[in-house]
Amino acid sequence: AQTVTQSQPEMSVQEAETVTLSCTYDTSESNYYLFWYKQPPSRQMILVIRQEAYKQQNATENRFSVNFQKAAKSFSLKISDSQLGDTAMYFCAFPNPGGSQGNLIFGKGTKLSVKP
Amino acid sequence: EAGVVQSPRYKIIEKKQPVAFWCNPISGHNTLYWYLQNLGQGPELLIRYENEEAVDDSQLPKDRFSAERLKGVDSTLKIQPAELGDSAVYLCASSRGTGVHETQYFGPGTRLLVL
C-alpha cells in the first residue's frame, strides 16, 4: 500500500528565516510524482511545488524548494525567507498508481506558523 | 482563468436531513474529484469522474452518499440522510486528465456541520 508520512504535526518559524518540512513515503513504483500543497486558514488548497521522481534535480519555485531523496523515499520542503503569508497547513501528496491512478494520497499535514 | 467553484461554503443541518454540494471545475478539465477532509487530517478521495463516468467510487459510502456529473462538467455530491460523523470539509478538485503527472486544482471546500 502507498503511504505518506509527515512526522511534524506543528512547526513555527520566525519571519525571514528558513524552515524545512519533512515527508516520507512508501511505494513500489519507479516513476511517479510528488506534490506539496498549502492550505491557508481560508481552506483553499494550493499547489506549492511538484517533483518528478525520474529527475534527479530538486524542484525549485521561488522561495520554495525540495530535497528529494529517492532511495530514502524522502521529500522535504524548504521555505526560505519565510513570510507571514506562509502560515498554513502543508500537505505532502503522492498519486496512487494502478487502478486508482491519479488519486492523491495525502499525509496528515504540518501546521506551519510564521511569527513576526 | 477561473478556479474550481464550490457552493455552499458552509452548511449546518440536523442529523437525518439531506444535503447537497455543488462543484464547477476549471474549464477544460475532464477529471473531477470529490475529497473528504476530516479535522486535522489530509483529504481522502470519495469519488473520481472522468468526463461523465465515475471511474473510482470505491471509497464512497453508497448507502447514504451519491454523486453525479451530468454533461461531464458540474458535479453534485449528496448525503441522505446525514449523520453526525459526516461533519467535515468536502473538497472538489479538477485536473486536465488522469495520471500520476497531473496537477489537481482544488476548490475552497464546503464545511458541513451536522447537529
Side-chain angles (χ1 to χ4, degrees), chain A:
Chain A
Q2 325 295 327
T3 59
V4 178
T5 302
Q6 293 181 250
S7 59
Q8 305 150 316
E10 292 191 40
M11 292 191 72
S12 65
V13 63
Q14 290 295 129
E15 196 175 6
E17 293 189 348
T18 296
V19 64
T20 299
L21 309 183
S22 301
C23 173
T24 58
Y25 59 95
D26 187 23
T27 182
S28 56
E29 300 295 315
S30 59
N31 185 24
Y32 50 89
Y33 288 68
L34 292 158
F35 301 84
W36 277 101
Y37 279 89
K38 167 186 177 181
Q39 190 176 40
S42 66
R43 308 204 73 85
Q44 182 108 30
M45 192 89 72
I46 303 167
L47 177 70
V48 175
I49 197 167
R50 73 178 207 169
Q51 173 77 42
E52 301 171 53
Y54 60 84
K55 286 190 175 180
Q56 293 192 345
Q57 185 175 4
N58 289 325
T60 300
E61 288 288 342
N62 300 315
R63 298 182 295 108
F64 299 87
S65 62
V66 301
N67 182 5
F68 174 53
Q69 300 192 7
K70 191 173 182 179
K73 296 181 182 175
S74 171
F75 181 58
S76 60
L77 175 69
K78 186 172 82 170
I79 306 174
S80 304
D81 185 26
S82 297
Q83 300 176 0
L84 297 178
D86 295 333
T87 293
M89 285 290 292
Y90 286 82
F91 292 97
C92 178
F94 174 84
N96 199 12
S100 298
Q101 193 175 77
N103 301 340
L104 289 174
I105 300 172
F106 287 85
K108 291 188 175 183
T110 296
K111 183 178 182 180
L112 177 67
S113 298
V114 180
K115 301 185 183 304

Side-chain angles (χ1 to χ4, degrees), chain A residues 37 39 44 50 100 102-103, chain B residues 37 45 48 56 101 104 106:
Chain A
Y37 279 89
Q39 190 176 40
Q44 182 108 30
R50 73 178 207 169
S100 298
N103 301 340
Chain B
Q37 186 176 23
L45 183 78
R48 181 177 101 239
D56 186 353
H101 63 288
Q104 296 182 25
F106 286 80

Side-chain angles (χ1 to χ4, degrees), chain B residues 1-90:
Chain B
E1 181 180 73
V4 177
V5 179
Q6 289 188 249
S7 68
R9 292 294 309 276
Y10 304 92
K11 190 74 176 179
I12 301 174
I13 61 171
E14 294 190 347
K15 63 180 181 182
K16 300 185 181 180
Q17 293 301 305
V19 65
F21 314 125
W22 175 81
C23 173
N24 178 243
I26 293 173
S27 178
H29 281 197
N30 296 322
T31 306
L32 183 146
Y33 312 78
W34 283 102
Y35 287 90
L36 167 69
Q37 186 176 23
N38 287 306
L39 187 64
Q41 303 291 320
E44 297 178 344
L45 183 78
L46 286 172
I47 189 169
R48 181 177 101 239
Y49 282 92
E50 292 181 16
N51 299 305
E52 305 87 4
E53 183 181 359
V55 296
D56 186 353
D57 62 356
S58 57
Q59 301 303 312
L60 190 72
K62 298 180 182 64
D63 56 336
R64 298 184 301 106
F65 286 65
S66 65
E68 61 181 10
R69 191 184 184 197
L70 300 176
K71 301 181 180 179
V73 181
D74 296 358
S75 178
T76 302
L77 178 68
K78 298 178 181 178
I79 308 175
Q80 183 172 9
E83 296 179 352
L84 296 177
D86 296 332
S87 295
V89 176
Y90 293 81

